[in-house]
Amino acid sequence: GFFLWLELPEPLSADALFKPAADAGIQYVKGSDCFLEGGERTLRLAYSGVSPAEISEGMERLGQVFATA
């Protein structure tokens, strides 16, 4: 599938924001699940199964989660 790999700026943590993102209706794979060590600031967003409108809405929601962290 198609996906986007993101690295968040410090002090944001994809691990810490996983539940708030899920509560906002956003699901992603935590980067720390893909590495033996590290990856806490990285995440993978899949976009092959959603429409452009859903992507836009999801990015708005995820941006709000990041902004309130």
Side-chain angles (χ1 to χ4, degrees):
F2 294 87
F3 62 88
L4 181 66
W5 189 261
L6 300 175
E7 182 173 349
L8 302 177
E10 290 185 18
L12 295 180
S13 165
D15 287 1
L17 294 172
F18 186 76
K19 173 128 175 52
D23 291 345
I26 305 300
Q27 296 181 348
Y28 59 78
V29 175
K30 296 180 285 183
S32 62
D33 290 344
C34 301
F35 297 99
L36 293 176
E37 294 182 15
E40 294 84 2
R41 291 188 10 246
T42 61
L43 60 108
R44 188 179 91 168
L45 290 171
Y47 60 89
S48 63
V50 292
S51 70
E54 290 171 311
I55 291 171
S56 181
E57 173 68 22
M59 294 309 294
E60 287 287 333
R61 291 184 193 184
L62 191 57
Q64 290 173 359
V65 170
F66 292 165
T68 59

